[in-house]
Amino acid sequence: MGFCDLLGFLFVSYCVRQKNVEKKPSEKFDIEFQWSYINFTWRSPMDYHRAVSNLRYIPENNAMAGIKYYNDRMYIALPRLRKGTPVTLAFIPINSKSKNNPLLRPYPSWEMNVGKNCSSFQNVQSMEIDRFGVMWVIDGVRMNGLTKCPPKIVLLDLKDGGRVLHTYVVPNDVSLYQGGFLNDIVVDESDGGFAYITDNSVQDPGLVVYSRVYNKSWKLRDASMFGEIDASDFAVDGLMNDDLVPIDGIALGPLPVRRKDSRMVYYCALSGYSLYGISAAVLKNEELCKTGEWRRDIEYIGKKKSQSDGLIMDNKGNLYYGLLSRYGVAKWNTKKPLQSARNVEKDKTKFVWPDSFSFDMDGNLYLLANGINKFFSLTYELRLSSDMKFKILRSYTGTNSYLYS
Ligand SMILES: *[C@@H]1O[C@H](CO)[C@@H](O)[C@H](O)[C@H]1NC(C)=O
Ligand SMILES: *[C@@H]1O[C@H](CO)[C@@H](O)[C@H](O)[C@H]1NC(C)=O
Ligand SMILES: *[C@@H]1O[C@H](CO)[C@@H](O)[C@H](O)[C@H]1NC(C)=O
């Protein structure tokens, strides 16, 4: 209990001011939630027992990948990478009393998480939530044959119980129905709404652009989106990664001061050190994207100190990214050279595969560390144990998401 708490209401205004002054950006992440395995709020005990006995639910096979905060909830995407994964989109209340193994609540419903019905969510890796409370869900993990449904982008109204506002089925020539992998998404609210999405497909990697108002998508393919040989071999938590994993992380620069100025879209291959950028104005121009001319606008930014999975930009132009082989998180002020980036924190137990980031509205940055490489590995044997495999960490930055000014 601090000085201000003791004094109570007498010095309220003094203390409030002090608090704001005192709250400096933290250089550290604290554990908010952690899981040794994932379990859900089942509809009934019978439903749960049936799912366990018919292997519709195999606890150790469930993994979480994308996290996004909205209105006192943390929404969580659970890609189906193995069998026995009954839910692919869920949430936990941020004020959940249990910090260890809190149960996940299927979102928007159990029905919308049923496999083998192409109207419901099949295999979700990530999402973004815009300023209007619309969640842009990419249901596009299609590289493991667990579903035959085409990939889609689904817009949910979080202010209306997750009602489906819009569904867009992605054409096969934009993301392969068998072999595609819509991996991460940023949303640009200008010109009727755009999403920029990485397609991590090994067969056809690229950057997918979706225009909400034109209800249309196109794909950009370039060598800068491929994995790099010299960055392809690295071990995380004893497991060697030696695949050439293509484009994965994506971030969008902060809102420009003058409305007509363009924003930069940053991206990087997972098996890579290089970070690239391209103007959003170029991506939005479908005609230009059909020619080869757009490639002239790709900007090589520089080399990071490690491979990364997810990236996130704040509203002040700071880019945060994980350092996979160094078990840490780095921060780069995009107004300075990439060489000036520094490590926020490194810790071999906390940062096992830093994957997805999210800001809340109070200046906190959340990070999911998930050891997801083990779930992707075809030979790694997953086991139930008390080890904490998923961690949602939190750090105070005093900034907000790139979506806000
Ligand atoms: C999973 O959650 C249900 C409640 O929804 C509970 O009854 C069950 O015991 C839990 N199973 C495990 C293995 O924790
Ligand atoms: C498929 O899922 C949608 C959305 O949850 C639902 O409205 C529809 O009834 C389902 N169809 C079947 C055949 O179950
Ligand atoms: C958007 O495109 C999809 C094709 O994926 C189509 O089914 C849908 O009707 C279109 N919606 C609108 C509003 O044009």
Side-chain angles (χ1 to χ4, degrees):
M1 192 175 261
F3 171 74
C4 285
D5 299 311
L6 282 169
L7 286 183
F9 69 91
L10 277 179
F11 291 91
V12 162
S13 65
Y14 164 80
C15 287
V16 165
R17 224 175 301 131
Q18 280 303 101
K19 239 178 200 157
N20 289 340
V21 173
E22 270 168 29
K23 201 148 189 197
K24 290 210 178 77
S26 156
E27 296 297 304
K28 220 172 133 298
F29 280 85
D30 296 314
I31 295 172
E32 275 293 292
F33 300 102
Q34 53 185 346
W35 289 264
S36 57
Y37 68 98
I38 294 165
N39 191 8
F40 306 95
T41 52
W42 295 86
R43 278 174 290 199
S44 66
M46 199 172 84
D47 191 30
Y48 166 70
H49 289 295
R50 203 184 292 140
V52 170
S53 62
N54 68 18
L55 302 182
R56 192 160 63 84
Y57 172 50
I58 305 171
E60 61 271 30
N61 284 1
N62 289 263
M64 44 178 91
I67 57 166
K68 284 292 170 284
Y69 172 94
Y70 188 76
N71 228 351
D72 289 334
R73 288 180 175 183
M74 187 62 81
Y75 291 92
I76 302 174
L78 303 116
R80 290 178 162 131
L81 303 175
R82 308 262 187 138
K83 294 204 160 77
T85 46
V87 174
T88 191
L89 185 64
F91 76 92
I92 53 167
I94 208 77
N95 304 318
S96 170
K97 289 213 173 52
S98 49
K99 299 294 175 190
N100 290 346
N101 294 332
L103 295 177
L104 272 60
R105 305 171 188 211
Y107 192 80
S109 60
W110 274 101
E111 288 69 38
M112 273 296 284
N113 278 274
V114 172
K116 301 199 173 70
N117 172 345
C118 293
S119 304
S120 60
F121 289 127
Q122 298 297 303
N123 208 332
V124 179
Q125 167 84 9
S126 196
M127 64 287 194
E128 179 58 292
I129 301 166
D130 69 21
R131 291 180 305 162
F132 305 95
V134 174
M135 182 190 279
W136 301 52
V137 182
I138 41 174
D139 179 3
V141 186
R142 296 294 185 272
M143 80 306 174
N144 58 17
L146 286 182
T147 177
K148 296 275 180 289
C149 299
K152 58 188 184 288
I153 301 166
V154 181
L155 273 53
L156 300 180
D157 186 357
L158 302 190
K159 291 181 171 160
D160 190 7
R163 185 170 62 87
V164 176
L165 291 173
H166 187 70
T167 299
Y168 172 74
V169 176
V170 182
N172 185 55
D173 61 356
V174 171
S175 191
L176 295 171
Y177 287 9
Q178 295 301 320
F181 185 1
L182 300 180
N183 190 292
D184 209 353
I185 173 169
V186 288
V187 169
D188 177 348
E189 287 171 4
S190 66
D191 298 317
F194 278 86
Y196 312 122
I197 301 164
T198 53
D199 189 342
N200 187 242
S201 165
V202 182
Q203 291 101 307
D204 185 26
L207 211 167
V208 173
V209 179
Y210 170 65
S211 157
R212 180 179 180 180
V213 70
Y214 292 114
N215 198 32
K216 213 173 163 194
S217 65
W218 51 93
K219 185 177 203 167
L220 298 92
R221 299 166 174 89
D222 184 72
S224 61
M225 300 167 188
F226 297 162
E228 300 162 3
I229 299 284
D230 66 333
S232 68
D233 289 4
F234 64 102
V236 174
D237 207 23
L239 182 63
M240 191 68 184
N241 182 88
D242 52 13
D243 295 329
L244 269 177
V245 187
I247 182 168
D248 184 307
I250 188 161
L252 177 59
L255 283 164
V257 184
R258 284 172 304 182
R259 234 181 127 249
K260 64 175 178 50
D261 289 352
S262 184
R263 302 170 85 172
M264 190 72 122
V265 175
Y266 297 89
Y267 63 87
C268 56
L270 192 148
S271 303
Y273 299 120
S274 304
L275 182 68
Y276 294 91
I278 185 161
S279 156
V282 172
L283 300 183
K284 288 199 279 192
N285 185 337
E286 188 190 2
E287 289 311 308
L288 181 59
C289 292
K290 277 186 192 153
T291 72
E293 289 303 304
W294 68 273
R295 290 197 181 85
R296 291 179 199 277
D297 292 295
I298 298 173
E299 197 180 311
Y300 168 72
I301 309 279
K303 285 202 190 311
K304 299 179 280 100
K305 294 205 170 68
S306 176
Q307 300 84 353
S308 320
D309 200 321
L311 319 172
I312 201 167
M313 183 75 68
D314 73 10
N315 59 342
K316 301 278 182 248
N318 297 300
L319 183 76
Y320 291 86
Y321 51 95
L323 303 168
L324 295 178
S325 62
R326 293 176 176 230
Y327 304 91
V329 175
K331 174 186 176 183
W332 167 49
N333 176 345
T334 54
K335 293 175 201 108
K336 297 181 179 165
L338 182 56
Q339 275 62 44
S340 68
R342 50 182 195 79
N343 300 334
V344 179
E345 196 188 353
K346 290 207 280 185
D347 184 316
K348 247 192 139 151
T349 58
K350 270 200 226 167
F351 301 103
V352 178
W353 207 280
D355 188 346
S356 179
F357 293 92
S358 175
F359 282 99
D360 66 12
M361 297 299 284
D362 298 313
N364 297 304
L365 175 62
Y366 291 85
L367 164 63
L368 170 69
N370 58 5
I372 202 76
N373 52 331
K374 293 165 190 155
F375 293 84
F376 275 98
S377 164
L378 297 174
T379 49
Y380 188 88
E381 200 183 321
L382 298 166
R383 287 214 184 100
L384 268 184
S385 74
S386 57
D387 297 347
M388 289 299 176
K389 300 170 189 75
F390 310 98
K391 297 186 170 79
I392 293 183
L393 307 145
R394 193 176 85 168
S395 178
Y396 181 75
T397 63
T399 59
N400 208 333
S401 149
Y402 68 94
L403 285 159
Y404 296 83
S405 50

